[in-house]
Amino acid sequence: MRWKLTGRFLMAILCTVFCVILVNAIIALVFYAYYSSGEEHPASATDFTRTLARYITEVDGEPVISDKGIAALEERNAWLQFLDDNGNVIGNALAPATAPVHYTPVELVHAYKYRDENQVSTFVAEHNDIMYLVGIQDRNLSKIVITSNTSSITQFTAQLALIMIIVDLLIAIIIGFIFSSFLTKPIYRMIERIRMLKNRNFAVDSKHSRGLYRSIFHNLDDVAESLKLQEEERRKLEQMRNEWVSNVSHDMKTPLAAIQGYAELLQSNISTSEQTEYAEIIEKKSVYMRELLDDFTLTMRLRQQEMPLQLVDTNIVSFVRELVIDVLNDATFGERNITFNASIDKLTKCIDTHLMKRALLNFIYNALVHNEEEVILKVSVEEVGGTAVIHIRDNGKGITKADLPQVFERYYRGTNTENIKGTGLGMAIARDVIQAHGGEVELMSELGIGTSVIIQL
């Protein structure tokens, strides 16, 4: 993957270089076409010498230059001499007195190639068999005589262009490789981080990028932290679920063994009274197993928010009062010390009465079942800022600090619940029911002093 990204980046660099070369070639062609067109451009010294021919005529067999030609000579700081076939000067315009009156062929060649001591450059031209010589005084004007072979120039140009292209491509490859290594390195690190997350490795990268990808690496660290917490929670729930399955399997084996044993006894020759007794035992064990499975189903549906609430406007004060009365009417708890108190007569809230009743009874029954018979249980209802606050407190054994944070966890049994029947899901179900109503539950306890459950709706 790393080399694949590097290769793509190099390809992009090469394409960029190719486009630059192509654009440069187009620009060169445009300039060449422009300068090859018939448009007028500032004349060179040679062109100036040739253009003077338009001003030269022959009058009575003698060459003369027009006034416009003389004006052009003055503007260019130049002078002109007419020569015959023998190199003699037969006429001039603006020529200095020191100018030669005769030129040998060698002198003409020397004058054409070099400037004289007065910084005069000489140019020779011919028009209609009239030879003339133009001297231009300009220290910035210089001559370069080049002789070349056209075929060698073409070959040289082609070789030069090929060398330039190769060199440009090599430079582009080197620069592209350097930049691609620099830019793709953090991308490779990102791919590695994602692969680590895929393999459930949630370690945070200590080498943070400070460049373009800084925010991406910070987000990856946040994702790693979140996944790490979720993984820990998943493992914790998985462990607790396994423990619960183990407990349920153990609890199911006992009633199943009893049911099987008593069912076998019913098949033997026994009295009618024994048959009735064994049938009652089988029924009780079956009810316990059904309650266990019902509690498991309910807690799963509540946790996954798949339990639709049948909400009804209910007076919380009378609702809780009736629960306390129902508990007192139960023969098991009829002699217990339970009190109810309310600071108001009516407080209406929208609740699912069936689930809320089960949740509150779980709290009340826990206070009664897990404490001595002399325990005092106080239930109260009050309104605080529009919120219904239900307070259930006892002066029983209390809960240890080690058990307190886990009381509401599913499948958990505290150290003070030995030999107590139940599915181990009551407190978790009660908490989930309260939260499903948008409420909160707070549990406070001190060992040897008692426990308080505060429910806010």
Side-chain angles (χ1 to χ4, degrees):
M1 178 62 72
R2 181 179 184 180
W3 291 109
K4 188 175 181 180
L5 290 173
T6 303
R8 288 184 178 180
F9 187 82
L10 282 173
M11 185 60 65
I13 292 294
L14 292 176
C15 291
T16 303
V17 172
F18 177 77
C19 292
V20 170
I21 294 175
L22 182 62
V23 170
N24 289 336
I26 293 174
I27 293 174
L29 290 175
V30 170
F31 271 83
Y32 176 79
Y34 172 74
Y35 280 102
S36 299
S37 63
E39 297 180 8
E40 293 187 0
H41 304 285
S44 64
T46 302
D47 292 337
F48 171 76
T49 301
R50 291 174 180 172
T51 56
L52 286 176
R54 70 180 70 173
Y55 306 116
I56 296 175
T57 58
E58 191 172 355
V59 178
D60 296 331
E62 297 293 331
V64 294
I65 185 170
S66 67
D67 294 339
K68 289 184 178 181
I70 295 175
L73 289 172
E74 291 176 344
E75 182 179 356
R76 195 62 184 260
N77 194 21
W79 48 267
L80 179 143
Q81 288 180 322
F82 295 107
L83 306 178
D84 60 12
D85 294 338
N86 296 322
N88 298 315
V89 177
I90 58 177
N92 70 82
L94 304 180
T98 57
V101 296
H102 175 77
Y103 293 92
T104 65
V106 174
E107 291 175 339
L108 283 175
V109 172
H110 187 275
Y112 178 77
K113 292 180 62 176
Y114 307 105
R115 286 187 301 190
D116 62 14
E117 64 276 5
N118 297 321
Q119 304 298 323
V120 174
S121 298
T122 304
F123 299 88
V124 179
E126 186 178 2
H127 175 66
N128 294 333
D129 296 331
I130 300 175
M131 181 181 297
Y132 59 93
L133 182 147
V134 177
I136 302 175
Q137 189 171 4
D138 186 354
R139 66 176 59 254
N140 296 322
L141 182 63
S142 60
K143 294 181 180 180
I144 299 176
V145 180
I146 299 176
T147 59
S148 62
N149 189 325
T150 306
S151 59
S152 6
I153 292 177
T154 304
Q155 184 178 2
F156 173 77
T157 304
Q159 292 176 350
L160 180 62
L162 180 61
I163 293 173
M164 289 180 63
I165 291 175
I166 295 175
V167 171
D168 287 345
L169 291 178
L170 289 175
I171 293 174
I173 291 174
I174 295 173
I175 296 177
F177 182 79
I178 295 173
F179 276 93
S180 63
S181 300
F182 176 75
L183 293 176
T184 57
K185 185 177 180 180
I187 296 178
Y188 178 70
R189 283 177 56 199
M190 277 188 276
I191 295 174
E192 284 298 315
R193 289 295 309 282
I194 294 172
R195 186 180 291 112
M196 291 170 59
L197 294 177
K198 178 183 176 181
N199 296 330
R200 312 189 79 82
N201 184 352
F202 307 124
V204 177
D205 190 1
S206 59
K207 298 179 180 180
H208 290 295
S209 176
R210 297 184 179 179
L212 181 64
Y213 308 102
R214 180 177 182 180
S215 60
I216 298 177
F217 280 102
H218 280 295
N219 289 333
L220 285 175
D221 288 342
D222 294 340
V223 170
E225 288 287 350
S226 300
L227 292 177
K228 184 178 180 180
L229 294 176
Q230 293 177 10
E231 181 68 12
E232 292 176 354
E233 183 68 18
R234 186 193 66 80
R235 290 177 181 175
K236 182 179 178 182
L237 291 175
E238 187 68 25
Q239 181 182 359
M240 296 178 67
R241 185 177 293 108
N242 292 336
E243 292 176 357
W244 181 88
V245 171
S246 177
N247 292 335
V248 169
S249 300
H250 180 270
D251 290 345
M252 293 283 278
K253 287 178 181 178
T254 302
L256 282 174
I259 291 173
Q260 182 180 3
Y262 287 113
E264 292 174 354
L265 289 175
L266 287 173
Q267 296 175 3
S268 61
N269 296 324
I270 57 176
S271 62
T272 304
S273 60
E274 288 177 326
Q275 290 180 354
T276 303
E277 180 183 356
Y278 295 162
E280 290 177 354
I281 294 174
I282 291 175
E283 182 184 7
K284 289 180 181 179
K285 299 298 182 181
S286 301
V287 170
Y288 170 77
M289 293 175 62
R290 185 187 65 195
E291 291 176 350
L292 182 64
L293 294 176
D294 288 345
D295 283 355
F296 173 71
T297 303
L298 178 60
T299 186
M300 289 295 102
R301 293 185 67 185
L302 287 171
R303 170 53 65 94
Q304 297 175 7
Q305 298 181 351
E306 295 179 354
M307 188 72 179
L309 301 180
Q310 306 297 325
L311 300 176
V312 179
D313 288 336
T314 306
N315 183 1
I316 296 297
V317 178
S318 59
F319 178 75
V320 177
R321 182 187 294 112
E322 291 173 4
L323 287 182
V324 174
I325 294 173
D326 289 341
V327 173
L328 289 173
N329 288 334
D330 187 340
T332 306
F333 306 107
E335 301 300 325
R336 295 296 185 93
N337 190 348
I338 305 175
T339 61
F340 173 79
N341 182 47
S343 61
I344 53 177
D345 295 329
K346 185 176 182 180
L347 180 57
T348 302
K349 294 294 177 183
C350 195
I351 62 173
D352 186 317
T353 55
H354 174 72
L355 291 178
M356 187 61 67
K357 180 178 180 179
R358 178 166 185 177
L360 296 179
L361 285 178
N362 275 338
F363 293 129
I364 294 174
Y365 283 143
N366 275 336
L368 297 175
V369 171
H370 299 308
N371 289 301
E372 304 296 334
E373 293 186 359
E374 294 78 16
V375 67
I376 299 175
L377 179 62
K378 297 181 179 181
V379 181
S380 63
V381 178
E382 59 181 339
E383 181 182 11
V384 179
T387 300
V389 180
I390 304 171
H391 198 171
I392 303 172
R393 55 187 179 275
D394 64 67
N395 62 345
K397 295 182 292 184
I399 305 172
T400 63
K401 290 183 178 180
D403 291 336
L404 192 60
Q406 306 179 70
V407 168
F408 288 115
E409 296 294 341
R410 293 172 174 82
Y411 335 122
Y412 185 79
R413 290 179 183 269
T415 56
N416 63 346
T417 60
E418 293 87 352
N419 301 321
I420 299 296
K421 294 182 179 180
T423 62
L425 298 172
M427 292 295 284
I429 291 174
R431 187 270 314 273
D432 290 343
V433 168
I434 300 300
Q435 290 182 347
H437 284 80
E440 297 179 0
V441 182
E442 183 181 1
L443 181 67
M444 297 181 295
S445 184
E446 250 185 276
L447 200 61
I449 296 178
T451 302
S452 293
V453 178
I454 303 174
I455 302 166
Q456 300 181 26
L457 296 175

